[in-house]
Amino acid sequence: MNTIARKLALAIGILAFVTSCAETPQTSIPTTDGNNTDTLASTIQIDGSSTVYPITEKIAREFEAVPANQAKIEVKFSGTTGGFKKFCAGETDISNASRPILQGEIEACQKNNVRYMEFPIAFDALTVVVHPQNNWAKDITIAELKKIWEPAAEKKITRWNQVRADWPDRPLTLYGAGDKSGTFDYFGEAVVGKTGASRRDYTASEDDNELVEGITKDPNSLGYFGFAYYEQNQAKLKALAIDSGKGPVLPSLKAVAKNQYQPLARPLFIYVNPRSNPNRKLVDGFVKFYIKKSSQTAKTVGYIPLPDAMENVNYVRLNTGKVGTSFGGKEQLDLKLDDLQQKVQ
């Protein structure tokens, strides 16, 4: 009997060992000593718009500097379109965007079961610039911009006097957003009349600093990008006033606040996946910090802060877990700063 008992015990022990090895191990979030709460020692992945990048980068570094957060935030830029591709695949936690999410991106998020929260965080004055040595162009009409940038202009409109007869017979070299950029999409919609519509024979980049560098080295250049990049490089660039039919208006905080800089004034966003990061408290804490800091930071880096009431709107959206977009999967032209709150509530 003893021999039988020993064999039976051994068999049970082997069975228990094999069973324990076959079980799926449980993953738990580390906790801080004594508090039994989720640690903030993890990473938030952010990608998307180079226009929004300066705001997010500055806020991320400020958040990391708070010792209690113990956070690492990786901020990259691949353009709004490139950022949404990663975001809707579940590869990032937050996506910077210089336009609202579009229908195709909404469908991609739905296909991958990615939910998103939409937060307007600033306004931009999309800026058309030339080299400082350009002494002939001070303003430009929307019709002239269309003449330059529409697909039909490719390899045809190549000299300044083709745009306006009294401009000199000099080469016209162009710099602008790459096709993975929300700025590219918005500029096409606002100027040409169709999202993403553009000639392709120009120097294109999702990195606005590369565009700045190219324009500053080329006296015959014309290009466009977000207002912050002009603000940071005013000594090396010259902004053109935009005439949409009511006279030329230079890009500025005041012009956007008074709804005078149309149709190139536009809202900027972050999109947040509330389920993406296993440490949801980290993402939630960072977004709250972002909302609090966004207005002052936007102004600091050269964008137009939103009205104070928008901070409360964003807090409500976050605290109630409101998902989805207020823009119907389309670009939003001629949106006034004062109308944004009503649009997103």
Side-chain angles (χ1 to χ4, degrees):
M1 291 294 292
N2 290 339
T3 301
I4 294 173
R6 283 197 298 271
K7 289 182 178 180
L8 183 58
L10 179 61
I12 293 171
I14 291 171
L15 179 61
F17 175 76
V18 172
T19 302
S20 67
C21 291
E23 289 177 352
T24 302
Q26 297 296 311
T27 302
S28 60
I29 300 173
T31 57
T32 55
D33 292 340
N35 293 325
N36 197 33
T37 57
D38 293 344
T39 181
L40 295 186
S42 62
T43 302
I44 296 176
Q45 301 285 349
I46 305 175
D47 207 318
S49 168
S50 61
T51 303
V52 181
Y53 174 85
I55 302 175
T56 301
E57 171 68 9
K58 183 173 175 56
I59 293 175
R61 300 293 80 85
E62 290 179 4
F63 186 78
E64 286 181 330
V66 179
N69 290 338
Q70 302 177 31
K72 181 179 180 182
I73 304 177
E74 295 184 358
V75 187
K76 302 177 181 178
F77 56 84
S78 56
T80 296
T81 303
F84 273 132
K85 184 176 181 179
K86 296 177 183 179
F87 181 79
C88 292
E91 297 173 8
T92 56
D93 304 301
I94 296 173
S95 204
N96 295 327
S98 60
R99 57 159 172 77
I101 189 169
L102 300 181
Q103 186 59 40
E105 294 156 346
I106 292 172
E107 293 170 1
C109 281
Q110 290 173 340
K111 181 180 178 181
N112 294 314
N113 198 29
V114 171
R115 304 183 76 191
Y116 55 87
M117 304 175 73
E118 179 181 73
F119 299 99
I121 48 91
F123 242 72
D124 180 26
L126 191 54
T127 304
V128 178
V129 299
V130 295
H131 192 279
Q133 291 180 13
N134 181 322
N135 59 6
W136 58 90
K138 296 181 180 179
D139 56 72
I140 193 164
T141 68
I142 294 296
E144 287 168 339
L145 285 173
K146 181 179 181 179
K147 186 177 183 180
I148 292 170
W149 286 100
E150 65 185 344
E154 187 165 327
K155 297 182 180 179
K156 295 180 180 179
I157 304 300
T158 59
R159 305 190 72 80
W160 279 94
N161 64 340
Q162 290 178 283
V163 181
R164 191 180 291 184
D166 59 357
W167 285 347
D169 183 12
R170 297 180 60 154
L172 172 64
T173 52
L174 300 173
Y175 296 78
D179 62 8
K180 293 181 177 60
S181 168
T183 298
F184 173 85
D185 293 332
Y186 187 90
F187 192 80
E189 182 75 33
V191 169
V192 181
K194 183 179 179 181
T195 298
S198 176
R199 67 191 296 169
R200 299 295 176 132
D201 56 336
Y202 69 97
T203 300
S205 179
E206 278 74 30
D207 185 347
D208 292 338
N209 285 313
E210 289 185 6
L211 301 177
V212 169
E213 184 177 0
I215 294 167
T216 58
K217 294 178 179 179
D218 187 347
N220 295 312
S221 62
L222 178 144
Y224 65 90
F225 39 70
F227 185 64
Y229 290 87
Y230 165 68
E231 280 276 279
Q232 295 162 10
N233 297 279
Q234 288 188 60
K236 301 185 291 183
L237 297 168
K238 173 184 168 183
L240 297 185
I242 303 300
D243 189 346
S244 58
K246 298 180 180 180
V249 179
L250 283 167
S252 68
L253 187 156
K254 183 178 180 180
V256 172
K258 290 187 174 183
N259 303 314
Q260 296 171 339
Y261 192 73
Q262 297 292 352
L264 298 184
R266 56 176 179 164
L268 305 176
F269 305 87
I270 59 170
Y271 286 78
V272 179
N273 182 345
R275 297 177 174 177
S276 59
N277 196 303
N279 192 345
R280 297 179 189 178
K281 288 186 178 180
L282 172 61
V283 177
D284 186 70
F286 176 66
V287 175
K288 287 180 180 177
F289 186 86
Y290 198 118
I291 293 170
K292 180 180 179 181
K293 294 285 186 177
S294 59
S295 289
Q296 183 57 42
T297 305
K299 189 174 182 179
T300 299
V301 303
Y303 290 121
I304 295 88
L306 300 182
D308 292 342
M310 273 304 305
E311 181 176 324
N312 292 329
V313 172
N314 279 334
Y315 278 132
V316 170
R317 292 168 75 88
L318 177 63
N319 293 333
T320 59
K322 184 176 182 179
V323 297
T325 177
S326 299
F327 294 85
K330 300 177 182 179
E331 294 279 12
Q332 181 71 53
L333 297 181
D334 297 329
L335 183 65
K336 298 178 180 179
L337 186 61
D338 292 340
D339 294 340
L340 181 61
Q341 180 180 348
Q342 183 177 357
K343 178 74 176 178
V344 302
Q345 279 185 331

